[in-house]
Amino acid sequence: MDVSVNKGEGGAVLKLGGRFDFNAHREFREGVDRALQQQGRVDVDLGEVAYLDSSALGMLLMLRDKAKSSSREVRLVNARGSVRQVLEIANFGKLFSIN
C-alpha cells in the first residue's frame, strides 16, 4: 500500500492507495505517526484505495483512538465504490465523518 502524509486545510492528509489490509499495517502506523505530529484534524484520503478488509477497519479505529487522546478529529474522505460500502456496512458513519 502507498501511504503519504501532506499538509491540508485544517490539518494533515493521510493519503492511502492500493490494498488496505493487514500487510499494510507497518506503513499505515508510520503514516499515522507522521500525521499526528502535525496540528489540526487528520483526513484519511481513501480515493485510491481499491480494497479494504476488517484489519483495515481495525487500523482506522486505532487511528481514531490515538487522535481522540489528543482531542483531534479524524475524517474519512473520498471513499468510493466497494470501499464506501464496507464502511457503511460496518456503521463507520457513526464513528467518523465520511465525506
Side-chain angles (χ1 to χ4, degrees), residues 51-82:
Y51 169 85
L52 76 140
D53 65 7
S54 60
S55 62
L57 297 177
M59 287 183 262
L60 289 171
L61 291 173
M62 179 265 308
L63 166 59
R64 179 178 173 263
D65 290 345
K66 281 186 163 190
K68 192 174 187 180
S69 70
S70 58
S71 301
R72 310 264 301 276
E73 177 189 7
V74 176
R75 298 188 318 172
L76 307 180
V77 299
N78 297 326
R80 295 187 205 96
S82 62

Side-chain angles (χ1 to χ4, degrees), residues 46 49-52 79-88:
L46 299 169
V49 172
Y51 169 85
L52 76 140
R80 295 187 205 96
S82 62
V83 170
R84 187 168 192 97
Q85 273 186 315
V86 170
L87 295 173
E88 289 172 356

Side-chain angles (χ1 to χ4, degrees), residues 5 7 12 25 29-31 43 50 62 65 70 72 92 97:
V5 178
K7 190 160 183 73
H25 190 261
R29 279 183 39 150
E30 290 170 356
D43 288 344
M62 179 265 308
D65 290 345
S70 58
R72 310 264 301 276
F92 266 45
S97 170

Side-chain angles (χ1 to χ4, degrees), residues 4-6 8-15 28 31-45 60 63-64 66-68 70-77 96-97:
S4 65
V5 178
N6 301 300
E9 291 182 32
V13 177
L14 181 62
K15 187 173 177 77
F28 182 75
V32 164
D33 291 343
R34 289 193 316 264
L36 291 175
Q37 289 174 357
Q38 296 185 24
Q39 298 297 316
R41 72 171 178 264
V42 177
D43 288 344
V44 181
D45 187 341
L60 289 171
L63 166 59
R64 179 178 173 263
K66 281 186 163 190
K68 192 174 187 180
S70 58
S71 301
R72 310 264 301 276
E73 177 189 7
V74 176
R75 298 188 318 172
L76 307 180
V77 299
F96 296 91
S97 170

